[in-house]
């Protein structure tokens, strides 16, 4: 039987970073040193425990966040290893939403990279305390102090080293602990043996400088440390660690450690820091929720003895047990066979199995408690972001927001049997991934799948063909354009049909208004009572939203628009739900004509890292792609070009960049915004859409 005191020994952490900074390798070392696995897996050889999907092993990248549990010094550490590629940023988003702390890993050579900045901002949004681990200290060009500077300047954080490296590149051999003023030197290849020694005079001088910087920062928040520091009294390790823990949890300080995970150096101290500085569920202020009966805000705190509440943060399809729903339990406890309420949908669900996950391996448990991260079998209705809770004391927890997809691919089944199979397969994939969308193109009748990037859709298609055994013809990736309007206009439509017997009648007056980017589609009924019977309002809303799935310019979905129902009329006998739905659709089409519809395209932030010799050609090429240069930065022996470019102009860019730089430049992109397409380009897109000459 768990108690609240047991919660002190739990750490729910995520491992986050830019792609190739060493997240999965670090996780493998954590599992090895904690005794969870008895052989270290390697990403490059496809043997990493956490990269269990076939697609991950083939590509040497993490695609889906994987959960595991290990123990260190009698502490239970639940770990989620997240992807670093921007196409899978949703995996980071939903993981950070339910975690209490995080390890942010930075490459000692590259420092703060675009995706490390993105995940840092995501952690800021969810107020997740973190420690920084500067990895790859053994690599040529490793510069610990430059990365610390980048964390402070680029990310706007107070990064305070609590370790310093001894040596760098090939001479990296250990770390200096600046709190205890000791050196730790690694002696064997697998990092299990290390010796402690006193610092040399030069090491002591450097360590003391950084120790004093740390004490000065701690003294800003702790009067006892301030008094002892000013008066020159000794400050104990316990006092420093206690104050540093409090400030880390309050997000005032980010402790910085270093190591080389691949060379097995520094990981044990990283585990010590997780235990010492990152929060337990009891240290977290609580999560916001709403009481559905009163609609008042409530704060749910970690408490084993209170009513059960949990958030579903991930859906996965398991070959053996079916649909797995990953949940983070915030309060109370849950047992196998118990009934819970899906508070988001007001539906009752039954827990048939509870599983503690170790990557894709399962361990059945009878009961799970506040602070636990477990997978549940039996939830048929629950999807990502929804709350499950006690039936009698319900609470609706704060959900999550997910970005819109930016790239489309058309997919056509080869046979009738594949047609049926593809629908079910796409539904299951959509359950797993909230950034994966499916729709039917009204112009061509094709099924269109949409995702966050070329790699995202490549993985989806690969899974469809191999995992779900679907035979299909796959089109080329296309930009996910949208349409919107420029002006506010009123539109009116009457649908009237008389063909003997009962007729059809629906009359709708709408006002449509453009909204700011990201607002989506909103519908409001602003009619006076009795103008249109209430039972028809929902049909009007459905008609509006269905009509906005295909705009008038090129049939792309319409977004960021508000539709207000401001008038209309009905017939006592002939009015029906269908008639009002059709009338609403007609009114929308008229409104889109009047309000000046425009095409929108995704604009990407792009960062290119290149040797200086190739800068001219790379900038000229980017300008030719309608790109804009926003600035330049100098890295060690490299130049960093930052800018924006329309997604439509980036197909094949990887090949062009390799060609322009003899394979030495790299780039990364992420969505910045949707923006209006230039008029000439818009005409070209519309002509291509309808197969007309450009």
């Amino acid at each position: 039987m768990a108690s609240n005191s047991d919660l002190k020994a739990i750490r729910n952490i995520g491992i986050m970073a830019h792609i190739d900074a060493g997240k999965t390798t670090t996780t493998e070392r954590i599992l090895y040193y904690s005794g969870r696995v008895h052989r270290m897996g390697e990403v490059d050889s496809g043997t990493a425990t956490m990269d269990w999907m076939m697609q991950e092993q083939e590509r040497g990248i993490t695609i889906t966040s994987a959960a595991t549990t290990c123990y260190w010094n009698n502490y239970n550490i639940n770990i989620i290893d997240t992807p670093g590629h921007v196409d899978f940023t949703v995996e980071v988003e939903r993981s950070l939403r339910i975690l209490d702390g995080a390890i942010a890993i930075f490459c000692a050579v590259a420092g703060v990279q675009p995706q490390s900045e993105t995940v840092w901002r995501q952690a800021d949004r969810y107020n997740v305390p973190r420690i920084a681990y500067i990895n790859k200290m053994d690599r040529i060009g490793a510069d610990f102090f430059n990365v610390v500077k980048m964390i402070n300047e680029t990310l706007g954080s107070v990064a305070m080293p609590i370790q310093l490296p001894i040596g760098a590149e090939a001479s990296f051999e250990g770390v200096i602990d600046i709190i205890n003023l000791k050196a730790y030197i690694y002696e064997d290849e697998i990092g299990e043996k290390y010796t402690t020694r006193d610092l040399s005079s030069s090491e002591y001088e450097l360590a003391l400088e950084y120790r004093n910087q740390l004490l000065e920062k701690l003294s800003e928040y702790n009067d006892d440390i301030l008094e002892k520091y000013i008066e020159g009294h000794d400050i104990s390790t316990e006092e420093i660690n206690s104050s540093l823990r409090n400030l880390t949890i309050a997000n005032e300080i980010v402790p910085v450690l270093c190591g080389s995970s691949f060379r097995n150096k520094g990981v044990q101290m990283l585990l010590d820091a997780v235990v010492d500085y990152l929060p337990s569920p009891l240290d977290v202020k609580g999560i916001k929720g709403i009481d559905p009966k009163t609609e008042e805000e409530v704060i749910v705190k970690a408490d084993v003895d209170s009513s059960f509440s949990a958030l579903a943060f991930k859906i996965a399809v398991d070959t053996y047990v079916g649909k797995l729903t990953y949940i983070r339990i915030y309060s109370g406890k849950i047992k196998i066979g118990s009934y819970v309420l899906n508070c988001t949908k007001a539906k009752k669900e039954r827990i048939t199995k509870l599983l503690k996950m170790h990557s894709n391996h399962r361990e059945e448990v009878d009961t799970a408690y506040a602070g636990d991260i477990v997978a549940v079998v039996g939830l048929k209705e629950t999807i990502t972001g929804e709350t499950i809770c006690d039936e009698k004391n319900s609470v609706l927890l704060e959900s999550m927001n997910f970005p819109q997809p930016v790239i489309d691919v058309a997919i056509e089944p080869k046979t009738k049997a594949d047609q049926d199979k593809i629908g079910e397969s796409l539904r299951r994939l959509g359950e797993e991934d909230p950034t994966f969308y499916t729709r039917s193109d009204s112009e061509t009748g094709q099924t269109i799948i949409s995702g966050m990037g070329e790699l995202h859709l490549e993985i989806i298609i690969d899974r469809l063909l191999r995992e779900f055994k679907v035979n299909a013809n796959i089109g080329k990736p296309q930009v996910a354009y949208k349409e919107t309007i420029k002006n506010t206009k009123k539109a009116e439509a009457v649908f009237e049909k008389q063909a003997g017997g009962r007729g059809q009648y629906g009359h709708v007056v709408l006002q449509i208004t453009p909204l700011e980017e990201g607002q989506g589609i909103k519908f409001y009924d602003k009619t006076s009572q009795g103008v249109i019977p209430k039972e028809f309002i929902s049909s009007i809303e459905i008609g509006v939203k269905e009509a906005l799935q295909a705009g008038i310019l090129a049939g792309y979905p319409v977004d960021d628009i508000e539709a207000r129902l401001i008038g209309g009329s009905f017939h006592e006998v002939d009015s029906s739900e269908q008639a009002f739905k059709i009338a609403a659709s007609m009114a929308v089409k008229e409104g889109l004509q009047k309000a000046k519809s425009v095409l929108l395209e995704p604009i990407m932030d792009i960062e290119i890292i290149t040797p200086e010799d190739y800068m001219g050609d790379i900038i000229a090429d980017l300008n030719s792609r309608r790109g804009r240069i926003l600035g330049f930065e100098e890295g060690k022996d490299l130049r960093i070009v930052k800018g924006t470019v329309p997604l439509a102009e980036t197909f094949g860019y990887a090949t062009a960049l390799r060609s322009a730089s003899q394979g030495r430049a790299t780039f990364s992109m992420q969505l910045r915004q949707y923006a209006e397409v230039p008029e000439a380009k818009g005409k070209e897109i519309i002509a291509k859409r309808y197969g007309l000459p450009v």
Side-chain angles (χ1 to χ4, degrees):
M1 175 69 187
S3 66
N4 284 332
S5 61
D6 296 325
L7 292 174
K8 287 182 183 175
I10 291 178
R11 299 290 182 271
N12 288 318
I13 66 163
I15 299 188
M16 61 185 206
H18 188 90
I19 192 167
D20 205 31
K23 294 177 301 301
T24 302
T25 301
T26 302
T27 308
E28 290 297 317
R29 299 321 186 250
I30 287 172
L31 296 177
Y32 177 77
Y33 294 126
S34 65
R36 192 70 175 81
V37 298
H38 303 293
R39 182 178 62 85
M40 293 185 201
E42 301 296 352
V43 174
D44 293 344
S45 61
T47 58
T49 309
M50 304 301 275
D51 286 350
W52 58 270
M53 286 174 67
M54 193 186 308
Q55 292 83 358
E56 294 176 314
Q57 292 166 359
E58 289 172 351
R59 291 166 176 80
I61 61 169
T62 301
I63 292 167
T64 181
S65 55
T68 189
T69 299
C70 66
Y71 295 87
W72 184 255
N73 294 341
N74 297 318
Y75 282 81
N76 176 6
I77 303 176
N78 295 316
I79 303 170
I80 294 183
D81 173 29
T82 62
H85 196 286
V86 67
D87 282 16
F88 308 106
T89 190
V90 65
E91 293 286 343
V92 185
E93 182 85 17
R94 59 182 171 190
S95 299
L96 285 171
R97 169 65 180 78
I98 55 92
L99 291 168
D100 300 328
I103 300 170
I105 299 181
F106 299 91
C107 172
V109 181
V112 176
Q113 296 168 276
Q115 188 63 5
S116 39
E117 193 168 347
T118 300
V119 296
W120 196 270
R121 302 293 175 225
Q122 287 172 306
D124 282 343
R125 185 158 63 248
Y126 293 118
N127 206 28
V128 177
R130 65 218 83 151
I131 55 180
Y133 175 64
I134 299 176
N135 189 26
K136 303 194 177 185
M137 282 302 306
D138 61 308
R139 293 276 292 274
I140 293 171
D143 189 336
F144 174 84
F145 300 100
N146 182 53
V147 180
V148 172
K149 183 182 173 193
M150 288 178 80
I151 295 170
N152 282 315
E153 291 179 358
T154 309
L155 303 178
S157 296
V158 181
M160 300 298 299
I162 60 172
Q163 287 180 353
L164 301 174
I166 299 174
E169 302 180 346
S171 64
F172 176 66
E173 59 178 4
V175 298
I176 295 169
D177 177 348
I178 69 168
I179 295 175
N180 294 298
L181 296 174
K182 290 286 182 186
Y184 298 93
I185 308 296
Y186 285 87
E187 294 184 333
D188 64 340
E189 283 298 311
I190 59 171
E192 289 186 316
K193 291 181 184 175
Y194 54 89
T195 55
T196 306
R197 66 162 171 80
D198 292 331
L199 303 178
S200 68
S201 57
S202 60
E203 289 171 343
Y204 184 81
E205 198 175 309
L206 184 64
L208 202 58
E209 179 191 334
Y210 278 90
R211 192 176 196 269
N212 286 334
Q213 286 179 19
L214 176 63
L215 291 174
E216 282 173 19
K217 179 54 66 175
L218 297 181
S219 66
E220 291 177 20
Y221 299 90
N222 188 310
D223 291 340
D224 291 339
I225 290 178
L226 175 62
E227 191 177 326
K228 287 182 179 180
Y229 182 65
I230 290 172
E231 294 177 2
H233 296 315
D234 284 342
I235 301 167
S236 70
T237 299
E238 289 74 20
E239 287 177 285
I240 294 172
N241 280 337
S242 174
S243 183
L244 186 53
R245 174 181 176 77
N246 291 336
L247 293 175
T248 303
I249 291 170
N251 269 313
E252 299 289 350
I253 282 180
V254 178
V256 183
L257 299 91
C258 63
S260 168
S261 297
F262 186 66
R263 300 292 175 203
N264 310 315
K265 294 173 181 174
V267 177
Q268 293 98 324
M269 283 93 168
L270 179 62
L271 276 166
D272 288 337
V274 167
V275 167
D276 289 343
Y277 308 122
L278 290 180
S280 76
L282 292 175
D283 295 313
V284 179
K285 290 177 182 175
I287 179 173
K288 288 180 184 175
I290 291 171
D291 183 331
K293 295 181 186 122
T294 63
E295 296 197 346
E296 289 179 2
E297 187 178 288
V298 292
I299 301 294
V300 177
K301 292 190 175 179
D303 183 355
V304 171
D305 299 321
S306 64
S307 299
F308 169 73
S309 66
L311 189 77
F313 69 94
K314 179 179 169 70
I315 306 295
V317 178
D318 187 283
T319 313
Y320 300 103
V321 296
K323 179 180 167 184
L324 287 177
T325 307
Y326 284 77
I327 63 169
R328 160 69 194 268
I329 304 176
Y330 284 99
S331 62
K333 59 181 177 289
I334 189 171
K335 292 182 178 178
I336 291 177
S338 58
Y339 284 90
V340 294
L341 177 72
N342 177 324
C343 194
T344 313
K345 292 177 175 158
K347 291 194 174 178
K348 202 171 170 181
E349 299 252 52
R350 186 170 181 267
I351 307 293
T352 57
K353 277 186 184 175
L354 287 169
L355 305 169
K356 285 214 165 185
M357 300 298 291
H358 174 49
S359 187
N360 63 329
H361 301 292
R362 302 165 298 278
E363 176 193 333
E364 286 197 38
V365 293
D366 294 328
T367 312
Y369 302 90
D372 283 345
I373 294 173
V374 293
V376 177
V377 179
L379 302 182
K380 293 182 172 63
E381 301 284 346
T382 305
I383 59 170
T384 299
E386 294 185 341
T387 303
I388 58 170
C389 60
D390 187 282
E391 292 178 85
K392 293 172 185 168
N393 295 294
S394 55
V395 62
L396 184 62
L397 301 175
E398 212 170 25
S399 189
M400 308 177 223
N401 295 315
F402 300 113
Q404 294 287 312
V406 295
I407 198 161
D408 292 344
V409 164
I411 184 165
E412 290 180 337
K414 290 184 177 178
T415 66
K416 179 68 174 72
D418 288 317
Q419 175 77 55
D420 299 334
K421 195 189 285 185
I422 204 170
E424 175 61 17
S425 302
L426 291 173
R427 185 191 65 77
R428 286 169 68 183
L429 287 167
E431 274 188 347
E432 286 187 31
D433 186 348
T435 59
F436 171 63
Y437 286 51
T438 305
R439 63 183 169 85
S440 180
D441 189 318
S442 57
E443 302 285 331
T444 63
Q446 292 175 311
T447 297
I448 305 294
I449 59 174
S450 307
M452 299 302 295
E454 287 183 86
L455 180 60
H456 185 200
L457 287 183
E458 183 187 314
I459 299 296
I460 292 279
I461 291 163
D462 193 44
R463 289 187 65 193
L464 270 176
L465 301 178
R466 286 206 283 185
E467 193 178 316
F468 293 93
K469 305 288 191 296
V470 170
N471 291 311
N473 296 315
I474 311 297
K476 288 183 178 177
Q478 305 286 334
V479 174
Y481 292 105
K482 294 191 210 174
E483 299 182 24
T484 193
I485 54 171
K486 299 280 281 183
N487 306 311
T488 297
K489 291 291 178 182
K490 190 169 83 169
E492 186 172 1
V494 177
F495 177 69
E496 196 168 11
K497 195 173 180 184
Q498 200 69 43
R502 184 178 168 180
Q504 294 280 356
Y505 181 85
H507 171 212
V508 169
V509 184
L510 296 174
Q511 178 178 286
I512 60 170
T513 305
L515 295 175
E516 289 183 11
E517 189 194 349
Q519 295 292 303
I521 295 169
K522 300 187 185 300
F523 173 84
Y524 300 101
D525 174 20
K526 294 297 179 182
T527 55
S528 304
Q529 190 171 1
V531 172
I532 296 173
K534 288 292 177 192
E535 63 262 31
F536 298 133
I537 302 299
S538 61
S539 299
I540 294 171
E541 182 176 358
I542 291 168
V544 166
K545 290 183 175 177
E546 284 185 359
L548 292 174
Q549 287 177 10
I552 59 168
L553 293 177
Y556 291 111
V558 184
D559 203 8
D560 300 325
I561 191 169
E562 178 185 283
R564 288 174 175 245
L565 179 62
I566 56 173
S569 62
F570 70 102
H571 188 280
E572 290 284 358
V573 176
D574 291 346
S575 284
S576 67
E577 290 182 354
Q578 185 65 17
F580 273 106
K581 184 178 166 185
I582 294 169
S585 178
M586 292 163 60
V588 165
K589 297 297 182 188
E590 184 195 325
L592 294 176
Q593 292 278 7
K594 286 183 173 178
K596 194 189 175 188
S597 285
V598 292
L599 272 181
L600 299 175
E601 66 177 339
I603 305 295
M604 312 301 284
D605 275 323
I606 188 167
E607 181 172 293
I608 305 160
I609 302 172
T610 176
E612 189 170 12
D613 296 353
Y614 310 107
M615 284 270 286
D617 289 345
I618 285 169
I619 289 168
D621 180 64
L622 197 61
N623 286 333
S624 73
R625 295 171 184 269
R626 295 194 285 136
R628 283 197 316 128
I629 307 298
L630 299 180
F632 303 95
E633 286 180 16
E634 289 192 16
K636 196 168 185 179
D637 305 323
L638 295 167
R639 296 293 178 268
I640 301 167
V641 182
K642 293 191 174 186
T644 63
V645 63
L647 178 64
E649 307 292 341
T650 65
F651 291 109
Y653 185 64
T655 305
L657 186 65
R658 275 197 300 271
S659 180
S661 66
Q662 296 180 19
R664 295 176 64 194
T666 60
F667 78 103
S668 59
M669 292 191 308
Q670 61 191 48
L671 179 65
R672 180 186 183 91
Q673 66 187 99
Y674 266 83
E676 189 176 336
V677 177
E679 190 175 347
K681 189 71 183 173
K683 287 177 180 175
E684 187 183 310
I685 292 165
I686 293 166
K688 278 184 182 174
R689 177 78 164 160
Y690 293 115
L692 303 172
V694 178

